[in-house]
């Protein structure tokens, strides 16, 4: 891998879950990192030591970029599927309009690189799995639609204005990196919710549907460790090519059902974790599994923490510390 020297980087959303882990790793790699976050969903104490913190919205990024930066890692976004169905304006304004403003600020101040947090939700219900980057993109909710619109916007800015851009399409991110982990006020994700039961904060976990066309009837997802994800960001940053927009899926290429995740969490925590059957959740696809072949081939990236028990154990250590 080409190792670039120290870069001056702006990380939007660096007080959030994935943003804070990536910012921490970038600082450890020797980069100079400024976190821009409005703390609407992030936490001030999640901003890694060694980062300068600017409290502000993405629309205010220009004032920071004017100082001169080598790149932007753009994590700040609204990311709740159900909220996006009920209040799409928050997503079109907060995700799409804000990011076009960020691209404009990058153009104005000559910021040469961008790595963007895209999502598997850009694909919608897949025709087949594993999902490769050339699969049809037909998002089933405004969250995925806005992330896809941003991917298109980034592509056109890269070509027209010479930005070196990469969109990383995450599958189901989980795990933690020491004191940096998942701490959403409104938690909807499976693993942290299960761990809340193990901590005694919730009585039981609801299993959304046991009649899916899968071996045990529950939905299958591809869980990727947040540290492996962060490594992919560093590689993307270093290997981005001016004038090109590259897209990579990030997953382990292995699917686990909700029941399998539950069993792994029981083993890791030693807690019985009561579960109840509930109705299917609107908009859930039965199976989402990534093909990350392109990231393996072009970025030289390979997940090193693919074992679900390792992913859950790191999330559990974090939950014990935070809770
Ligand atoms: N689930 C339950 N009970 C819960 C929570 C989740 O059974 O209390 C199930 C869901 O139905 C799903 C699986 O656990 O089958 C995983 O659900 P998550 O909410 O953890 O993750 P999603 O697969 O829904 O979401 C992920 C990303 C989103 C992205 C979405 C695209 O986290 O950002 O994929 O489909 F939008």
């Amino acid at each position: 891998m080409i190792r670039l020297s120290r870069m001056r980087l702006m990380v939007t959303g660096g007080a959030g879950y994935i943003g804070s882990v990536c910012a921490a790793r970038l600082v450890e790699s020797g980069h100079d990192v400024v976190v821009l976050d409005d703390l609407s969903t992030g936490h001030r104490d999640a901003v890694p030591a060694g980062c300068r913190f600017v409290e502000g919205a993405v629309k205010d990024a220009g004032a920071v970029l004017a100082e001169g930066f080598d790149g932007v890692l753009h994590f700040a976004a609204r990311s709740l599927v159900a909220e996006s169905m009920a209040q799409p304006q928050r997503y079109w304004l907060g995700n799409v309009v804000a990011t076009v403003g960020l691209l404009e600020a990058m153009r104005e101040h000559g910021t040469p690189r961008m790595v963007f947090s895209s999502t598997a939700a850009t694909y919608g219900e897949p025709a087949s799995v594993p999902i490769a980057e050339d699969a049809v993109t037909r998002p089933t909710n405004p969250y995925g639609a806005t992330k896809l619109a941003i991917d298109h916007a980034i592509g056109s800015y890269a070509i027209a204005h010479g930005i070196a851009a990469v969109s990383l399409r995450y599958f189901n991110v989980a795990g933690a990196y020491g004191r940096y982990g998942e701490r959403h006020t409104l938690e909807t994700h499976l693993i942290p919710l299960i761990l809340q039961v193990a901590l005694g904060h919730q009585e039981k976990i609801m299993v959304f549907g046991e009649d899916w066309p899968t071996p045990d009837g529950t939905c299958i997802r591809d869980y990727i460790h947040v540290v492996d994800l962060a490594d992919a960001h560093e590689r993307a940053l270093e290997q981005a090519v001016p004038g090109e927009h590259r897209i990579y899926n990030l997953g382990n290429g292995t699917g686990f059902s909700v029941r399998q995740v539950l069993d792994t969490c029981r083993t890791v925590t030693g807690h019985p974790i009561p579960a109840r059957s509930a109705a299917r959740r609107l908009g859930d696809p039965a199976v989402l599994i990534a093909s990350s072949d392109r990231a393996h081939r072009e970025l030289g990236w390979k997940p090193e923490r693919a074992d679900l028990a390792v992913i859950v154990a790191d999330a559990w250590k974090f939950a014990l510390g935070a809770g």
Side-chain angles (χ1 to χ4, degrees), residues 88-109:
Q89 66 280 6
R90 289 193 167 191
Y91 287 72
W92 291 102
L93 294 170
N95 290 355
V96 179
V97 174
T99 305
V100 173
L102 174 61
L103 287 165
E104 273 298 284
M106 290 176 66
R107 182 166 77 91
E108 186 183 345
H109 300 294

Side-chain angles (χ1 to χ4, degrees), residues 143-196:
Y143 166 64
T146 59
K147 288 281 184 171
L148 181 60
I150 295 169
D151 282 344
H152 289 311
I154 293 172
S156 55
Y157 269 73
I159 292 165
H161 304 304
I163 294 173
V166 177
S167 287
L168 298 175
R169 291 187 173 160
Y170 313 158
F171 281 64
N172 287 62
V173 187
Y177 179 51
R179 71 176 196 87
Y180 307 105
E182 205 163 0
R183 202 161 28 120
H184 297 120
T185 311
L186 179 59
E187 191 54 78
T188 62
H189 292 123
L190 181 63
I191 293 176
L193 283 175
I194 292 176
L195 297 181
Q196 284 181 13

Side-chain angles (χ1 to χ4, degrees), residues 121 143 172 188-190 193 206 208 219 221 258 281 284 288:
Y143 166 64
N172 287 62
T188 62
H189 292 123
L190 181 63
L193 283 175
M206 307 306 287
F208 297 147
C219 285
R221 293 290 181 273
V258 172
R281 189 171 65 178
D284 270 345
L288 286 178

Side-chain angles (χ1 to χ4, degrees), residues 60-317:
D60 305 322
V64 182
L65 291 180
E67 296 170 15
F69 279 79
D70 299 306
V72 174
L73 292 101
H74 182 34
F75 298 94
R78 297 208 162 261
S79 62
L80 297 170
V81 171
E83 181 189 62
S84 80
M85 311 274 271
Q87 297 180 290
Q89 66 280 6
R90 289 193 167 191
Y91 287 72
W92 291 102
L93 294 170
N95 290 355
V96 179
V97 174
T99 305
V100 173
L102 174 61
L103 287 165
E104 273 298 284
M106 290 176 66
R107 182 166 77 91
E108 186 183 345
H109 300 294
T111 316
R113 276 184 203 84
M114 176 184 242
V115 177
F116 173 61
S117 297
S118 189
T119 168
T122 53
Y123 297 110
E125 180 80 52
S128 62
V129 290
I131 304 169
E133 292 81 354
D134 59 2
V136 172
T137 43
R138 206 180 292 133
T140 52
N141 53 64
Y143 166 64
T146 59
K147 288 281 184 171
L148 181 60
I150 295 169
D151 282 344
H152 289 311
I154 293 172
S156 55
Y157 269 73
I159 292 165
H161 304 304
I163 294 173
V166 177
S167 287
L168 298 175
R169 291 187 173 160
Y170 313 158
F171 281 64
N172 287 62
V173 187
Y177 179 51
R179 71 176 196 87
Y180 307 105
E182 205 163 0
R183 202 161 28 120
H184 297 120
T185 311
L186 179 59
E187 191 54 78
T188 62
H189 292 123
L190 181 63
I191 293 176
L193 283 175
I194 292 176
L195 297 181
Q196 284 181 13
V197 180
L199 283 171
H201 295 169
Q202 300 291 331
E203 223 175 273
K204 56 183 179 296
I205 184 81
M206 307 306 287
V207 176
F208 297 147
E210 297 196 89
D211 55 353
W212 296 94
T214 59
D216 68 10
T218 65
C219 285
I220 292 177
R221 293 290 181 273
D222 182 337
Y223 295 87
I224 171 169
H225 199 297
V226 67
V227 174
D228 283 331
L229 196 80
D231 288 351
H233 285 72
E234 279 198 59
R235 286 171 185 270
L237 192 68
E238 288 168 351
Q239 296 179 44
V241 177
E244 288 186 21
H245 175 223
R246 297 192 173 168
I247 297 176
Y248 298 101
N249 288 345
L250 297 178
N252 281 315
T254 313
F256 291 94
S257 71
V258 172
R259 282 274 162 211
Q260 288 173 315
V261 172
L262 201 44
D263 286 343
T264 304
C265 291
R266 287 178 176 134
T267 307
V268 168
T269 63
H271 188 283
I273 311 178
R276 295 281 176 283
S277 224
R280 288 182 177 192
R281 189 171 65 178
L282 201 67
D284 270 345
V287 182
L288 286 178
I289 298 174
S291 161
S292 301
D293 290 354
R294 187 186 284 178
H296 299 171
R297 225 177 26 246
E298 295 184 13
L299 297 177
W301 173 80
K302 211 167 77 43
E304 283 171 11
R305 301 155 189 84
D307 183 348
L308 185 62
V310 170
I311 296 175
V312 169
D314 285 350
W316 179 231
K317 265 184 257 161

